[in-house]
Amino acid sequence: MKSLRQLWESFRFAWQALRSNLTRTTLSLLGVTVGIFAIVAVFTIVDSLEKSIKDSMSFIGDKVIYVQKWPWGFGGEYQWWKYFQWPEPTFAEYKYLYDNLESASAVAVFDSRGGQTLKNGSTSIQGQVQGISFEYNMISDIPIVNGRYFMPLESSNARNVAVVGADIASALFPGQDAVGKEFKLAGNKFVVIGVQEKKGESLVDFGGNPDKNCYIPFSSFSKLFQSGRRRATTVVKGFPEDEGMKEVEAEITGLMRTKRGIKPRDTNNFSLNRPEAAAEAISGLFAVLTLAGWVIGSFSILVGGFGIANIMFVSVKERTNLIGIQKSLGAKNYSILFQFLFEAVMLSLVGGLVGIFLVYLLSFIPMGSLQIILSPKNVILGLGVSSVIGVLSGIIPAMLAARMDPVTAIRAK
């Protein structure tokens, strides 16, 4: 009960100080408000950006390896002149990996053509056509809300069937159920067997807008676009328990070197790309942005900390007589210390709460495809930083108040 009473008295003193000098307090807390706003806003925007980009990369798949000509470049020297001479991966290489890989849970193949026109009568829409093998849905995310995915027979027999994005379905067949309807692609009739879930625009669309993607069997795609070249990108998925994917990567490397007849002393002329590399590069970029947020916010918080310290020194001076009376009535040093320290922390928390509230209002501002979300983690961070600033700003004035001689304090004017 004694601790609760002391806490309540400290709260009353802090509230009275806040109300009695509202203008002075508001101006002093502005630095804390701006600093907390800067830090929490940067953290919130960085988290939202990272989430948006990683969501847009969901189609890449998890624990997968892409067998391609060009490596994904994330920093360092990109030796394009060297990679330019490497041969394109082929469908025959995909079949070889499909038949011989033992450490993979799924092996698929795909290729794509952007800017293709899909027509239904006088209505048309530009989209990206992707030829995929049946196993592709075991590797990549293709959520279907209406209809179904390809059957193995349709994939192997080059049937003219398609799974289309939500924008394609609504554009070619407005107000209708697209499943079972026909459209034309490169002069050939295709039947819609499935419609994907609408994903909406993303900040970064890896591989194009998913709502404007049209998936067809790879065998059908090859007949339409490849003219016998049979170029293909093989994508391999490891088992869930294979954390490092090292066994899968080593087996793919050995099989590809065997298939291409690469001599033991020669280097590989193909690339094994992993989504983890892209994720690490993105995380590194956002780490720099986060550091920049800390630096920007720290200057404002430093100014705010001096402002709170100034308030507390003035408050100690104004209440010197009261401190003397409290001590003469038996108040302990720690009680006076806690009283002023609580006031400093409360003032800082008020400034921090205002800054967090401003970030919350920021989440209602339309920013295109970027959705700003203020997470509980960032709210706790803002409150924690505010509390620390309050303690650091108020500790010296509180110690001065606690060490005052009661007789001298009562006589002070």
Side-chain angles (χ1 to χ4, degrees), residues 250-267:
E251 189 177 4
I252 294 173
T253 301
L255 291 173
M256 284 294 294
R257 289 179 65 89
T258 300
K259 179 65 176 175
R260 292 191 172 184
I262 301 175
K263 297 178 181 179
R265 293 186 178 182
D266 293 340
T267 58

Side-chain angles (χ1 to χ4, degrees), residues 128-344:
Q128 177 170 258
V129 178
Q130 293 190 343
I132 59 177
S133 61
F134 174 74
E135 295 80 6
Y136 190 77
N137 74 325
M138 299 171 61
I139 296 171
S140 182
D141 182 25
I142 307 179
I144 297 175
V145 292
N146 188 19
R148 60 178 176 82
Y149 186 68
F150 308 121
M151 291 190 295
L153 190 63
E154 292 170 332
S155 182
S156 59
N157 290 351
R159 299 285 177 84
N160 286 0
V161 292
V163 174
V164 299
D167 287 355
I168 294 177
S170 60
L172 296 183
F173 313 103
Q176 304 177 51
D177 183 0
V179 176
K181 301 292 193 304
E182 291 185 347
F183 67 92
K184 281 192 174 183
L185 170 63
N188 292 264
K189 288 185 177 180
F190 279 77
V191 177
V192 177
I193 61 170
V195 178
Q196 295 182 78
E197 176 186 359
K198 187 172 181 62
K199 295 185 178 180
E201 292 186 2
S202 177
L203 183 68
V204 180
D205 289 324
F206 294 92
N209 185 346
D211 294 329
K212 292 185 178 180
N213 280 354
C214 173
Y215 293 104
I216 65 175
F218 185 85
S219 49
S220 305
F221 180 93
S222 181
K223 288 195 305 182
L224 288 179
F225 300 110
Q226 292 192 341
S227 302
R229 288 192 305 158
R230 306 289 276 175
R231 186 188 69 180
T233 296
T234 300
V235 55
V236 180
K237 184 176 180 66
F239 289 101
E241 61 272 12
D242 185 7
E243 294 296 331
M245 294 286 288
K246 293 182 179 179
E247 182 182 350
V248 181
E249 192 168 356
E251 189 177 4
I252 294 173
T253 301
L255 291 173
M256 284 294 294
R257 289 179 65 89
T258 300
K259 179 65 176 175
R260 292 191 172 184
I262 301 175
K263 297 178 181 179
R265 293 186 178 182
D266 293 340
T267 58
N268 297 334
N269 59 2
F270 55 88
S271 300
L272 302 184
N273 294 318
R274 303 262 304 271
E276 289 87 347
E280 289 176 3
I282 292 171
S283 298
L285 172 63
F286 288 130
V288 174
L289 294 177
T290 300
L291 178 61
W294 274 111
V295 172
I296 294 170
S298 295
F299 286 105
S300 297
I301 286 179
L302 184 63
V303 174
F306 286 129
I308 292 176
N310 179 61
I311 290 177
M312 296 311 302
F313 279 117
V314 172
S315 182
V316 170
K317 185 176 180 60
E318 290 176 346
R319 285 152 52 185
T320 300
N321 293 103
L322 183 58
I323 294 170
I325 294 172
Q326 286 179 312
K327 283 200 163 192
S328 66
L329 294 175
K332 303 294 183 181
N333 285 354
Y334 70 83
S335 177
I336 303 297
L337 177 71
F338 179 79
Q339 177 183 311
F340 283 92
L341 199 58
F342 182 88
E343 183 176 332

